Amino acid sequence: MHIDLQAVCRVFEDVLNGAMSREQADRWAYAVVQEEETGVVTYSPPRERERIWAGVMYLYGVDTMKAPGEYLHSDNDISAAMNAKLGEAADRKAAIPLRALDPRPSQRLTRKIG
């Protein structure tokens, strides 16, 4: 399995913009962890292994609930973690969905981070 900073950044962005559920992101990260344990993961660039791994480890658990129906990590927490762990690779392209009063997808608004 090959993994790079941009792949991890895309998963963060997909969670933030609603293209991927937190549960899907957790399962993706779990698969990376499993592959790492077998020694078949390659990192690109290799010098960024620690940053890539930090992002994967954050995503592995991004679906943790603190109460029924309430995630431990807010969208703002996820955005801050993406920027802290991935640095300039997370160039603030992600849009955070703002929950409108009407939960229909057509009623969602988005805003740029930063």
Side-chain angles (χ1 to χ4, degrees):
M1 171 184 269
H2 177 80
I3 187 166
D4 60 33
L5 277 172
Q6 291 305 315
V8 179
C9 188
R10 275 191 305 276
V11 175
F12 273 96
E13 290 173 348
D14 286 350
V15 169
L16 290 170
N17 69 28
M20 178 183 284
S21 73
R22 291 167 185 242
E23 291 75 19
Q24 290 169 317
D26 173 79
R27 294 296 86 200
W28 175 85
Y30 175 75
V32 174
V33 169
Q34 293 298 303
E35 293 293 313
E36 172 63 23
E37 288 178 357
T38 64
V40 297
V41 176
T42 57
Y43 299 89
S44 178
R47 70 182 179 280
E48 299 292 357
R49 182 195 182 284
E50 287 185 28
R51 284 181 28 186
I52 294 167
W53 189 248
V56 168
M57 292 310 296
Y58 185 88
L59 290 166
Y60 184 39
V62 74
D63 63 340
T64 302
M65 306 289 269
K66 67 179 178 181
E70 188 177 355
Y71 288 109
L72 177 62
H73 305 285
S74 70
D75 286 348
N76 287 336
D77 294 339
I78 295 168
S79 178
M82 177 177 73
N83 289 315
K85 295 181 183 320
L86 303 181
E88 70 273 357
D91 61 2
R92 300 176 180 262
K93 293 184 296 189
I96 296 178
L98 298 176
R99 307 297 189 254
L101 293 176
D102 186 343
R104 294 177 296 184
S106 64
Q107 298 298 312
R108 281 191 170 177
L109 304 174
T110 60
R111 67 177 168 88
K112 285 293 226 182
I113 299 170

